[in-house]
Amino acid sequence: MIVLNGGSSSGKSGISRCLKAILPRPWINLGVDDLIDRLPPSLTDSGSGVAFGQQGEVVLGAGWREVETAWTTGVAAMARAGARIIIDDVFLGGRTDQERLRAHLDGLEVLWVGVHCDPEIAAARETARGDRVPGMAAGQAEVVHKGVVYDVEVDTTHTESLHCARTIAQHVD
Amino acid sequence: MIVLNGGSSSGKSGISRCLKAILPRPWINLGVDDLIDRLPPSLTDSGSGVAFGQQGEVVLGAGWREVETAWTTGVAAMARAGARIIIDDVFLGGRTDQERLRAHLDGLEVLWVGVHCDPEIAAARETARGDRVPGMAAGQAEVVHKGVVYDVEVDTTHTESLHCARTIAQHVD
Amino acid sequence: MIVLNGGSSSGKSGISRCLKAILPRPWINLGVDDLIDRLPPSLTDSGSGVAFGQQGEVVLGAGWREVETAWTTGVAAMARAGARIIIDDVFLGGRTDQERLRAHLDGLEVLWVGVHCDPEIAAARETARGDRVPGMAAGQAEVVHKGVVYDVEVDTTHTESLHCARTIAQHVD
Amino acid sequence: MIVLNGGSSSGKSGISRCLKAILPRPWINLGVDDLIDRLPPSLTDSGSGVAFGQQGEVVLGAGWREVETAWTTGVAAMARAGARIIIDDVFLGGRTDQERLRAHLDGLEVLWVGVHCDPEIAAARETARGDRVPGMAAGQAEVVHKGVVYDVEVDTTHTESLHCARTIAQHVD
């Protein structure tokens, strides 16, 4: 299992697609955005699920935590059943989020990858993609790495996703 | 857990979105298409994964079976951990596929839903959406229901997704 | 030139895709949604362009009118230069909008098509697609046809897009 | 009018979105990809329209030329009617394509912008986005600039789209 942690617009999705293209064995990717896309209106239009503030801040309610825990339990079960999974996550709570995820992945071989990006550059990419609430990239760029411990760290500020993926791939069997 | 089984363009996704909108408690949806979208190039460009023929036929290889089994194991684990999940599936193997899925969902409360649609109407909708290999809709419309046992059956030929969803919702707590 | 006028979720896009698939000569489609997708943030985030109200109402500002006039002038020029174009529009102003468009299309052979759909059914389809502001479908279903004069009228309430397209195609050389 | 010319995956779309976000007056963007997306099956499934080879090469037929000429005539008419338009193009024929486009834009104020990107980096970004035929980026990176004359040239190899857009914006009133 590979866990990519980084802020919005830091380049996790691109790295994930490159990893799938270059790794010799088949990997699938699953991310927190996939779960958000599948939430019902009751969890996106109310305060109990996921909400995005005007400055791009993300507010998570009790309803989100409940479904996210079940989701993560299931993703861990997929990995235990033999699937090679790249998780694409945003540790808004930094180390606390890593510890919670680590507990779920107990017994699995996990490569923890930090995906860094200069906040200003991430914000520029957020403008260029045009499909995210402005402010998320800069707001998350550094806080998501607070206290998190990694096996590999890459930085997309001056390095292409494909090259970052090659660095990561060297740590994967 | 709700399992929607029907051919391509039979209306499963629309019913699934309606269920999420009308059911009082939060449900998420996960489907076979979600897994296909996450496969690596090595499983979509070769014979070992998923391939689409010129007449819309779907060919599944050993690589697909392996990852699908792990995926299903994980989805079942999500449900056991408390998530309410609508599965959107296409039983190309009819009853055999249902039995395999049933084994994975052991111990869970499952509502089996058959989503029917006249083959000609499904083919017409395939043309109207324009993003599927022509032929899939007609080819799958009837074969996916072969020998499958349902708790509820709906038919989208003359009934809107929202109305089908209301029928299904009456069987959900 | 074919002009399809109907409310949100009435089925215009599906009919348009079917027309492109069945008409013997090559047609392209262009619609008001294409222009909205290309607007800059300054026209979507302020009152001067296009804004969507909480009940699905659409508010058009002076900035929108200006760019829409130039856009329509250009689409008419494409048609005069030989392109076969299916326009997909929503006459929020009913007859007034038709007269304005008719003036732009002066000298061109135009087939005016009314795309009707029962408001309740259109609203059900809006829920099923899940990507529109709820309320648009019902709010626009009837008002867009007010005083508009058509060469052909179709109704998607009980008829598939492909069949509506076949009806329309009989009026096209 | 702003014309951005560059190979596939060179960063034109990102620059275009940034220009729309930073330019004080409202601009819309229109590109060759928009036209391709609107072609009927008869022009994408046969040799007479647009076809993509296995190495990412693009083959254009007589049917494409016809519709493209009409499209360009219309886009020029939009600009003459007052719309500020960013065209996003790929001059597969280099200088010849520029001359053809220049003839259509006669009388309009045009800023010709070359969007360069190192072929290897463009190919890496093609892998990272994962939605283009592999080979297009490298194949087009240099040939599209052959003999083309520019007012401004930017290079996305080591510069973000937003910064390239700022450079371009200095040449726009």
Side-chain angles (χ1 to χ4, degrees):
Chain A
M1 203 161 203
I2 302 173
V3 177
L4 305 178
N5 175 47
S8 181
S9 292
S10 65
K12 300 181 302 295
S13 304
I15 292 175
S16 176
R17 275 190 289 268
C18 290
L19 281 170
K20 285 163 61 180
I22 65 174
L23 287 170
R25 289 198 280 179
W27 287 75
I28 62 170
N29 63 301
L30 281 170
V32 69
D33 281 352
D34 294 312
L35 177 54
I36 292 175
D37 288 348
R38 266 145 207 81
L39 294 180
S42 60
L43 285 184
T44 51
D45 302 347
S46 76
S48 73
V50 175
F52 297 93
Q54 298 228 327
Q55 264 73 45
E57 67 275 20
V58 181
V59 187
L60 305 172
W64 164 258
R65 282 295 171 213
E66 207 177 313
V67 73
E68 193 209 13
T69 299
W71 165 270
T72 310
T73 303
V75 173
M78 284 180 202
R80 284 195 194 97
R84 290 171 204 88
I85 303 177
I86 304 165
I87 291 188
D88 163 344
D89 212 332
V90 183
F91 293 165
L92 292 174
R95 187 191 189 86
T96 313
D97 283 7
Q98 182 178 36
E99 290 314 317
R100 186 163 38 205
L101 181 54
R102 194 194 299 276
H104 279 291
L105 306 183
D106 187 43
L108 290 164
E109 200 180 335
V110 181
L111 185 75
W112 298 92
V113 181
V115 181
H116 298 272
C117 184
D118 177 88
E120 214 176 307
I121 298 294
R125 291 177 187 165
E126 183 177 69
T127 302
R129 65 196 289 188
D131 60 353
R132 287 297 183 278
V133 186
M136 286 180 72
Q140 300 177 356
E142 286 166 351
V143 72
V144 301
H145 298 293
K146 213 161 173 183
V148 181
V149 183
Y150 297 113
D151 299 308
V152 198
E153 296 182 63
V154 293
D155 190 321
T156 64
T157 309
H158 301 296
T159 312
E160 296 298 317
S161 298
L162 181 56
H163 294 84
C164 294
R166 285 192 187 128
T167 301
I168 298 165
Q170 290 172 359
H171 299 260
V172 179
D173 298 330
Chain B
M1 203 161 202
I2 302 172
V3 176
L4 305 177
N5 175 48
S8 181
S9 293
S10 65
K12 300 182 300 295
S13 304
I15 292 176
S16 175
R17 274 189 290 269
C18 290
L19 281 169
K20 285 162 60 179
I22 66 174
L23 286 170
R25 288 197 281 178
W27 287 74
I28 62 170
N29 63 302
L30 281 169
V32 70
D33 281 351
D34 294 313
L35 177 54
I36 291 175
D37 289 347
R38 265 144 206 82
L39 294 179
S42 60
L43 286 184
T44 51
D45 302 348
S46 77
S48 72
V50 175
F52 296 93
Q54 298 228 326
Q55 264 73 46
E57 66 276 21
V58 181
V59 187
L60 304 173
W64 164 258
R65 282 294 171 212
E66 209 177 310
V67 73
E68 194 210 12
T69 300
W71 165 270
T72 311
T73 303
V75 173
M78 283 180 203
R80 283 192 196 98
R84 289 171 203 89
I85 303 177
I86 304 164
I87 291 188
D88 163 346
D89 213 331
V90 183
F91 293 165
L92 293 173
R95 186 188 189 89
T96 312
D97 283 7
Q98 182 179 36
E99 290 313 317
R100 187 163 38 206
L101 181 56
R102 193 193 299 276
H104 280 292
L105 305 184
D106 188 43
L108 289 163
E109 199 180 337
V110 180
L111 185 76
W112 298 91
V113 182
V115 180
H116 298 272
C117 183
D118 176 87
E120 214 177 307
I121 297 294
R125 290 177 187 167
E126 184 177 67
T127 302
R129 65 195 288 188
D131 61 351
R132 289 294 184 278
V133 186
M136 287 180 71
Q140 300 176 357
E142 284 166 353
V143 73
V144 301
H145 298 292
K146 214 163 173 182
V148 181
V149 183
Y150 296 114
D151 299 307
V152 197
E153 296 183 61
V154 294
D155 190 322
T156 64
T157 309
H158 300 296
T159 313
E160 296 299 316
S161 298
L162 181 57
H163 294 84
C164 294
R166 285 192 187 127
T167 302
I168 298 165
Q170 291 171 358
H171 299 259
V172 180
D173 297 329
Chain C
M1 203 159 202
I2 302 172
V3 176
L4 305 178
N5 176 48
S8 181
S9 293
S10 65
K12 299 181 302 295
S13 304
I15 292 176
S16 176
R17 275 189 289 267
C18 290
L19 281 170
K20 287 163 58 180
I22 65 174
L23 286 170
R25 288 197 281 178
W27 287 75
I28 61 170
N29 63 302
L30 281 170
V32 69
D33 281 351
D34 294 312
L35 177 55
I36 291 175
D37 288 347
R38 266 144 206 81
L39 294 180
S42 60
L43 286 183
T44 51
D45 301 347
S46 75
S48 73
V50 175
F52 297 93
Q54 299 228 326
Q55 263 73 47
E57 67 275 23
V58 181
V59 186
L60 304 172
W64 164 259
R65 282 295 173 211
E66 208 178 312
V67 73
E68 193 210 13
T69 300
W71 165 270
T72 311
T73 304
V75 173
M78 283 181 202
R80 285 195 193 97
R84 290 172 203 87
I85 303 177
I86 304 164
I87 290 188
D88 164 343
D89 212 333
V90 183
F91 293 166
L92 292 175
R95 188 190 187 86
T96 313
D97 283 8
Q98 182 179 35
E99 291 313 317
R100 186 162 39 206
L101 180 56
R102 194 194 297 276
H104 279 292
L105 305 183
D106 187 43
L108 290 164
E109 200 179 335
V110 180
L111 185 76
W112 298 92
V113 181
V115 180
H116 298 272
C117 184
D118 177 88
E120 213 176 310
I121 298 294
R125 291 177 188 166
E126 183 177 68
T127 302
R129 64 195 289 188
D131 61 353
R132 289 295 183 279
V133 186
M136 286 179 72
Q140 301 177 355
E142 286 167 352
V143 73
V144 301
H145 297 293
K146 213 164 174 181
V148 181
V149 183
Y150 297 113
D151 298 308
V152 197
E153 297 182 61
V154 294
D155 190 320
T156 64
T157 309
H158 300 296
T159 313
E160 296 298 317
S161 297
L162 181 57
H163 293 85
C164 295
R166 284 193 186 126
T167 302
I168 298 166
Q170 291 172 357
H171 299 260
V172 180
D173 297 330
Chain D
M1 204 161 201
I2 302 173
V3 176
L4 304 177
N5 175 48
S8 180
S9 293
S10 66
K12 300 182 301 295
S13 305
I15 292 176
S16 176
R17 274 190 288 268
C18 289
L19 281 170
K20 286 163 60 181
I22 65 173
L23 286 171
R25 289 196 280 178
W27 287 75
I28 62 170
N29 63 301
L30 281 170
V32 69
D33 281 352
D34 294 312
L35 177 54
I36 291 175
D37 288 347
R38 266 145 205 80
L39 294 179
S42 60
L43 286 184
T44 51
D45 301 349
S46 75
S48 72
V50 175
F52 296 93
Q54 299 228 325
Q55 264 73 46
E57 67 276 20
V58 181
V59 187
L60 304 173
W64 163 258
R65 282 293 172 213
E66 209 178 311
V67 74
E68 194 210 12
T69 299
W71 165 270
T72 310
T73 302
V75 173
M78 282 180 202
R80 284 194 195 98
R84 289 172 203 89
I85 303 177
I86 304 165
I87 291 188
D88 162 345
D89 212 332
V90 183
F91 292 166
L92 293 174
R95 186 188 188 87
T96 313
D97 283 8
Q98 183 179 35
E99 290 313 317
R100 187 163 38 207
L101 180 55
R102 194 194 297 277
H104 279 292
L105 306 184
D106 189 42
L108 289 164
E109 201 179 335
V110 181
L111 186 76
W112 298 91
V113 182
V115 181
H116 298 273
C117 184
D118 176 87
E120 214 176 306
I121 298 295
R125 290 178 187 165
E126 184 177 68
T127 302
R129 67 196 286 187
D131 60 352
R132 288 295 183 277
V133 185
M136 286 180 72
Q140 301 177 356
E142 285 166 352
V143 73
V144 301
H145 297 293
K146 215 164 173 180
V148 181
V149 184
Y150 296 114
D151 298 309
V152 197
E153 296 183 63
V154 293
D155 191 320
T156 64
T157 310
H158 300 297
T159 312
E160 296 299 317
S161 298
L162 181 56
H163 294 84
C164 294
R166 286 193 186 127
T167 302
I168 298 165
Q170 291 172 358
H171 298 260
V172 180
D173 297 330

